[in-house]
Amino acid sequence: MEHDCNIWEAFTKIEAQKIKEFLKLSSRPGIDGLKRALQLRLYANINEDEIIVDGNTLIYRTLDCRVRNARKRKGMEFHPCKAVGIIEYTGFAKTIDDRFECEALSCYPEITDETCNCSWKFILKDN
């Protein structure tokens, strides 16, 4: 898990910066910028997800996760992805706009929402 966390900490910032440059986002593009960037992530091409925006809050939900499905098919225990996800999603959002805070709403091993594989809450703080 330590190595997984270290890799994702580096990769997510690189991915976010490249997407930010591609979209020509300003330094602080807010909720709209994060929404647009999340739609271009690697995961957006392999998983089914949904984005819900309400004011200064964005909820990102993975409805169908390719990794989780593969582990389930093979009879393997699910990957405890919450620890990595906190690093990954926080790093991604803060690279897009440093005012974001991120929290896990539901992520293995702490599933609180059975309607999705994981969900994340991003709050745009006004500094």
Side-chain angles (χ1 to χ4, degrees):
M1 282 303 297
E2 177 186 350
H3 299 299
D4 198 19
C5 288
N6 290 338
I7 292 299
W8 277 106
E9 185 173 17
F11 176 77
T12 198
K13 292 174 185 174
I14 293 166
E15 182 184 31
Q17 190 58 47
K18 290 196 175 294
I19 292 170
K20 190 173 184 175
E21 290 169 9
F22 175 77
L23 292 173
K24 296 178 175 58
L25 297 176
S26 67
S27 63
R28 287 182 152 183
I31 293 286
D32 184 58
L34 179 60
K35 180 180 178 183
R36 291 176 61 206
L38 285 168
Q39 293 169 330
L40 293 180
R41 290 199 72 199
L42 170 67
Y43 282 147
N45 293 304
I46 63 172
N47 294 334
E48 181 184 345
D49 59 21
E50 89 177 327
I51 297 173
I52 302 162
V53 175
D54 183 17
N56 70 334
T57 303
L58 183 149
I59 306 293
Y60 179 78
R61 301 176 76 233
T62 300
L63 305 175
D64 191 42
C65 176
R66 187 173 175 173
V67 172
R68 187 169 173 180
N69 291 341
R71 293 180 75 90
K72 185 176 183 178
R73 270 193 320 274
K74 294 176 182 180
M76 298 170 68
E77 183 178 340
F78 291 140
H79 181 70
C81 50
K82 182 178 177 181
V84 174
I86 290 170
I87 291 167
E88 175 189 351
Y89 287 110
T90 299
F92 187 87
K94 285 193 171 293
T95 302
I96 298 300
D97 187 322
D98 64 354
R99 299 173 293 169
F100 277 109
E101 290 185 5
C102 175
E103 65 182 82
L105 297 177
S106 181
C107 188
Y108 192 81
E110 297 172 18
I111 297 295
T112 58
D113 182 353
E114 296 292 335
T115 67
C116 63
N117 292 147
C118 68
S119 63
W120 300 87
K121 181 178 183 178
F122 300 91
I123 302 167
L124 183 65
K125 298 292 185 172
D126 193 15
N127 291 353

